[in-house]
Amino acid sequence: MPRLLVTGGAGFIGANFVHHWLERHPDDRLIVLDALTYAGNLANLEPVKDRSAFRFVRGDIRDTALVEELLREEGLDTVVHFAAESHVDRSIHGPDAFIETNVQGTHSMLKAARKVWLEGRTVPSHRFHHVSTDEVYGSLAPDDPAFHERTPYAPNSPYSASKAASDHLVRAYHHTYGLAVTTSNCSNNYGPFHFPEKLIPLMIVNLLHGKELPIYGDGRNVRDWLHVSDHCRGIELILQDGRPGEVYNIGGGVESENLTLVETLCRVADAAFTEQKDLGSRFPDCPAARGGKASGLIRFVKDRPGHDRRYAIDCGKIERELGYRAAVTLEAGLRETFNWYLANEWWWRAVMDGSYERWIDTHYR
Ligand code: NAD
Ligand code: TYD
């Protein structure tokens, strides 16, 4: 029975992974280590916080001694490493935090794992799974084949460069020291608990308030959208049957231009306002509340510097070797995600109006 350390488990994908894992493996010990930066949210872990198998530790992945202590004292044999600075726009305006957390932080995790597992021999077998991104492969032209595991690295933003550096360190710790690592490079995730600075949740929250929907450049940039539940299943398959030292790409198999994606989301919103009569009074500023169309809020704005044109993932390897298949279609996933934001208004309001930050200040600082 694995005993897991999940870093970044209070963030978007990490929290979804914690719920996924504990639903399927309720008796496994699972410790979340998270620094609770602006992107970490304890409310994401509320449903599991009182389970005996679960423990939350507030701490920094750069605190190597803390990580060593957790691995040793809890007899942990599996690390699932999500913790990172994750937003490209933030990396453009302030790259330092990305180097500190994504590069130095990952190295700190690897050093701790090596010390405890390889030198201390605390457990008979171990696994260090590193969660990375397709952005390390750079940008594709319209007719280029999708990224596969042997596509050369060509990161373009400080974010993707920091993730690329962390991937190389993970690889090096396997080759040099024999650490049993796996890495997954996945495409753009979406789903519950997604911080409203990323495209999909930002558009949902803005359209509900009748605020403009900013589309960078011409809106023709393409992303491969992966529902977070499919991503979590992919990681579970890698932890169970993935081969140490290997890299697996995980994608949703759905490419969409940003403009098309936002237009689809607008149609989902318009339909929801027609079907759910209370929405008009809950969100009176949304155009759909007055019989209008949310797509009327779309505005083209200045492009992101260095904006990658297209990402697409070839997930043939994880499909062939581990039986992975993305199960959630983009249209159904967008509908489900939109409904999650409607049902969890308290969650995004707390994140956005600063009340959650104030609560953390009182309880955790
Ligand atoms: P997120 O920003 O929502 O969450 C990151 C979490 O890490 C937060 O809980 C934060 O508090 C924590 N954290 C940050 N710095 C820390 C530190 N120094 N010590 C401990 N905890 C720290 O990110 P996410 O979207 O959930 O992404 C998770 C992982 O998946 C990241 O490694 C990211 O690069 C990768 N990824 C994300 C996407 C995506 O679409 N969101 C796509 C590909 C890969
Ligand atoms: P984002 O969610 O930031 O993910 P990433 O940059 O990691 O792919 O952005 C997804 C796409 O949406 C990307 O092409 C940038 C674009 N975008 C906008 O057009 N407007 C926005 O307000 C945001 C946040 C993103």
Side-chain angles (χ1 to χ4, degrees):
M1 213 188 282
R3 295 174 68 84
L4 291 82
L5 179 63
V6 178
T7 71
F12 161 47
I13 307 174
N16 277 283
F17 178 80
V18 169
H19 297 305
H20 175 97
W21 194 270
L22 288 178
E23 230 168 71
R24 283 159 184 74
H25 312 275
D27 299 324
D28 286 1
R29 182 72 166 149
L30 190 157
I31 316 278
V32 165
L33 173 65
D34 197 298
L36 297 181
T37 67
Y38 81 95
N41 188 340
L42 270 185
N44 299 354
L45 298 170
E46 186 67 24
V48 295
K49 75 174 192 334
D50 295 326
R51 292 173 71 145
S52 54
F54 176 80
R55 179 179 163 201
F56 176 80
V57 177
R58 186 176 190 196
D60 198 306
I61 54 169
R62 289 169 300 170
D63 186 345
T64 316
L66 170 65
V67 178
E68 282 175 17
E69 188 187 312
L70 287 172
L71 292 177
R72 211 176 279 119
E73 283 186 358
E74 290 275 358
L76 304 175
D77 56 15
T78 304
V79 165
V80 192
H81 177 39
F82 292 97
E85 289 292 336
S86 68
H87 190 37
V88 174
D89 290 327
R90 284 180 188 257
S91 83
I92 293 167
H93 297 293
D96 296 64
F98 287 73
I99 306 307
E100 285 154 20
T101 291
N102 300 359
V103 185
Q104 290 166 12
T106 300
H107 190 226
S108 161
M109 292 297 304
L110 290 164
K111 279 194 297 184
R114 177 185 170 212
K115 179 100 174 262
V116 175
W117 288 341
L118 297 181
E119 291 172 11
R121 297 179 186 277
T122 53
V123 288
S125 69
H126 66 267
R127 173 66 66 85
F128 187 110
H129 182 71
H130 175 57
V131 179
S132 191
T133 169
D134 60 356
E135 303 194 23
V136 298
Y137 299 123
S139 183
L140 293 169
D143 297 327
D144 284 345
F147 301 131
H148 53 84
E149 288 79 0
R150 303 184 82 80
T151 301
Y153 274 32
N156 288 320
S157 70
Y159 164 67
S160 52
S162 69
K163 292 297 289 187
S166 68
D167 294 4
H168 292 321
L169 285 168
V170 170
R171 176 188 157 91
Y173 266 65
H174 174 70
H175 279 266
T176 305
Y177 303 116
L179 199 67
V181 306
T182 40
T183 295
S184 50
N185 294 85
C186 70
S187 56
N188 287 63
N189 283 226
Y190 69 103
F193 304 122
H194 205 181
F195 194 84
E197 65 180 356
K198 305 276 171 70
L199 181 70
I200 290 177
L202 179 73
M203 296 295 148
I204 293 176
V205 167
N206 277 11
L207 74 83
L208 288 174
H209 290 106
K211 286 167 68 176
E212 293 184 350
L213 307 179
I215 305 274
Y216 298 162
D218 63 3
R220 304 285 302 274
N221 302 68
V222 173
R223 297 293 183 263
D224 173 332
W225 292 97
L226 170 65
H227 193 272
V228 67
S229 61
D230 281 329
H231 184 194
C232 292
R233 234 170 10 86
I235 295 174
E236 182 182 21
L237 290 170
I238 296 169
L239 288 174
Q240 289 171 334
D241 292 317
R243 290 177 289 135
E246 291 294 315
V247 173
Y248 298 89
N249 284 351
I250 309 178
V254 201
E255 286 184 52
S256 175
E257 290 185 348
N258 291 338
L259 181 59
T260 310
L261 180 94
V262 173
E263 285 170 343
T264 309
L265 203 49
C266 288
R267 278 198 304 280
V268 166
D270 294 344
F273 273 72
T274 308
E275 285 156 21
Q276 304 175 41
K277 295 298 173 206
D278 65 317
L279 291 183
S281 52
R282 281 176 64 195
F283 303 104
D285 296 326
C286 180
R290 301 181 298 278
K293 287 192 182 313
S295 58
L297 297 168
I298 290 174
R299 297 287 181 278
F300 292 96
V301 299
K302 195 164 170 275
D303 208 353
R304 169 190 281 172
H307 195 176
D308 284 340
R309 196 63 175 166
R310 174 176 167 241
Y311 302 144
I313 282 260
D314 174 346
C315 24
K317 179 175 175 182
I318 190 170
E319 288 179 353
R320 278 190 309 277
E321 291 191 13
L322 306 178
Y324 169 82
R325 285 281 178 288
V328 183
T329 64
L330 184 55
E331 179 98 22
L334 287 178
R335 226 176 303 116
E336 185 217 88
T337 302
F338 185 74
N339 285 328
W340 188 88
Y341 279 80
L342 289 179
N344 294 279
E345 190 180 342
W346 62 273
W347 180 88
W348 49 266
R349 286 213 186 278
V351 170
M352 296 181 81
D353 72 6
S355 62
Y356 168 71
E357 294 270 305
R358 288 194 292 280
W359 184 85
I360 284 288
D361 276 342
T362 322
H363 290 79
Y364 278 90
R365 285 189 184 121

